[in-house]
Amino acid sequence: MTVTMPASATQSSSQPVAITCTALSKFYGGKPAVQDVHLEVKPGELLSLLGPSGCGKTTTLRCVAGFEIPDAGSIHIGAQDVTKVPAENRKVGMVFQNYALFPNLSVAGNVGFGLRVAGWNKQKLEARVGELLEIVGLVGYDKRNVTTLSGGQRQRVALARALAPNPRVLLLDEPLSALDAKIRVELRTELRRLQLTLGVTTLLVTHDQEEAMSMSDRVVVMNQGRIEQIGTPRDLYATPATPFVASFVGEMNTVTLEPVGNSSFKVSGQTVTLPNLEVGRYGVRPEAITLEPNPSQGLRGVVELVTYLGADQQVILRVGGDTWIARVPNDLVFTRGQTVGLEIAAGAWLRLS
């Protein structure tokens, strides 16, 4: 099933607005869930809040939605200060992880529910519902009960309902986590295409780094209630600002370079020459490692496990007392117990501390 865009719905009915959080803090039982958060979702941007459970991302979203009132700081949607404005008056669209649909209503009944509450006349409401069902690829499903739909179809209904009143901003709370892997990949592509076409400012909460990296203009990485880094997916992956970001976004081999002398360092218990590097903590991405079957010098490791991944293969190695991970082409053959050399370009060593 594919998202289609009727001519009347190729862009939002109003100019997109920014979401701005300034010094946002929220405490539960005296403990900070969110502390001194500063962020801006630019007009028309899709920005993701990414992080592990308990990092503060959902609390931040609920404050923007109006379901929680912050203990400090402010929230603006466009020029309006909505910090203490009730949720129903913020003109935001919200899509929940568990869909939050009305099981006693049809697809059309769910999509048009908010419009009926707002007093839309029947003709205008039916036209808007039909337009939204076309947008999310559910034409002909209007009379179906939502309990008969698949998970992906129900999430489309939830999205259509959120978009129905032309919200100023769209808030997505783990919208794809309840779906199976294949549907999740398909729907995130369609959701991103829809967001770009409508131009609606969107804030997405997810713990899935692949989801955040593939859908977002920028990503906010959170940890323990604070922001670790804000940047494009490429920035976060290529130049992580903190050790936490380096380890959380993608796979990373982390090691400490200890001085030996004359550009030589102790790495995972082995002495290697690494010109232009300094003592400190470094990270190396698995795909930046080239494995040499017949090493003559440099860093060496013993193959412990080889996993075929289709486009490439993952090789887990024991290097001294450390475990390293490499991602290499699948046309190379490595066997368990084989000694190989690890070749790493100077520019692939990411300074973490």
Side-chain angles (χ1 to χ4, degrees):
M1 189 177 294
T2 304
V3 167
T4 57
M5 296 299 299
S8 59
T10 55
Q11 58 183 11
S12 177
S13 60
S14 58
Q15 290 297 315
V17 298
I19 303 171
T20 307
C21 298
T22 304
L24 193 68
S25 294
K26 179 67 181 179
F27 297 84
Y28 296 109
K31 295 182 179 180
V34 172
Q35 194 164 8
D36 197 31
V37 165
H38 296 260
L39 66 86
E40 179 186 14
V41 190
K42 300 175 183 178
E45 178 181 42
L46 193 157
L47 183 139
S48 292
L49 301 178
L50 174 67
S53 298
C55 71
K57 58 187 186 297
T58 297
T59 299
T60 301
L61 187 80
R62 289 178 61 82
C63 286
V64 174
F67 301 142
E68 302 283 355
I69 302 301
D71 294 308
S74 64
I75 303 168
H76 284 74
I77 297 179
Q80 181 187 12
D81 186 340
V82 299
T83 309
K84 297 183 178 180
V85 173
E88 62 270 21
N89 296 330
R90 296 196 183 192
K91 297 181 180 179
V92 302
M94 184 84 179
V95 178
F96 299 92
Q97 176 180 350
N98 62 354
Y99 316 132
L101 300 176
F102 299 105
N104 60 315
L105 297 180
S106 65
V107 169
N110 270 276
V111 174
F113 180 82
L115 304 183
R116 286 196 301 277
V117 172
W120 284 41
N121 67 57
K122 182 178 179 180
Q123 183 177 5
K124 183 181 177 183
L125 185 151
E126 290 180 348
R128 180 60 175 162
V129 169
E131 179 184 52
L132 266 297
L133 292 182
E134 184 177 354
I135 287 174
V136 299
L138 291 177
V139 172
Y141 285 73
D142 52 315
K143 296 180 180 180
R144 294 270 296 271
N145 187 280
V146 292
T147 59
T148 68
L149 303 181
S150 68
Q153 290 168 337
R154 279 180 281 174
Q155 195 58 287
R156 293 169 190 268
V157 175
L159 177 60
R161 183 180 62 184
L163 292 171
N166 283 319
R168 293 189 293 174
V169 298
L170 182 62
L171 307 178
L172 307 174
D173 184 12
E174 301 272 12
L176 307 178
S177 61
L179 305 176
D180 63 53
K182 185 175 186 297
I183 297 299
R184 187 163 62 243
V185 171
E186 292 175 355
L187 198 52
R188 78 187 183 203
T189 300
E190 295 173 3
L191 181 58
R192 176 56 166 159
R193 185 183 298 120
L194 176 61
Q195 186 271 333
L196 286 169
T197 303
L198 294 176
V200 60
T201 305
T202 302
L203 182 60
L204 165 70
V205 160
T206 181
H207 67 276
D208 186 328
Q209 59 177 278
E210 186 174 332
E211 186 174 299
M213 301 286 272
S214 65
M215 292 178 64
S216 310
D217 293 297
R218 291 185 301 145
V219 179
V220 179
V221 180
M222 298 187 68
N223 182 35
Q224 298 183 345
R226 296 182 179 274
I227 292 175
E228 293 267 343
Q229 186 175 356
I230 302 176
T232 65
R234 184 181 296 274
D235 289 339
L236 297 181
Y237 193 83
T239 55
T242 68
F244 176 82
V245 176
S247 62
F248 189 79
V249 179
E251 293 180 306
M252 180 73 79
N253 299 292
T254 57
V255 293
T256 298
L257 271 58
E258 301 174 357
V260 174
N262 297 323
S263 297
S264 294
F265 300 89
K266 188 78 75 174
V267 181
S268 296
Q270 301 179 33
T271 299
V272 294
T273 299
L274 298 171
N276 303 318
L277 294 184
E278 300 175 349
V279 173
R281 191 74 171 164
Y282 286 82
V284 178
R285 296 291 185 190
E287 67 275 13
I289 300 172
T290 300
L291 298 183
E292 173 56 52
N294 301 299
S296 58
Q297 58 182 359
L299 199 61
R300 299 186 185 193
V302 177
V303 175
E304 290 195 330
L305 182 65
V306 180
T307 303
Y308 180 79
L309 299 174
D312 57 13
Q313 58 186 330
Q314 175 181 273
V315 182
I316 297 178
L317 307 118
R318 175 62 57 181
V319 182
D322 297 329
T323 297
W324 284 61
I325 300 174
R327 294 285 289 265
V328 297
N330 59 23
D331 59 343
L332 302 174
V333 178
F334 298 98
T335 59
R336 190 169 186 270
Q338 178 182 0
T339 297
V340 297
L342 286 73
E343 297 183 359
I344 305 167
W349 293 84
L350 303 177
R351 183 69 182 263
L352 301 181
S353 63

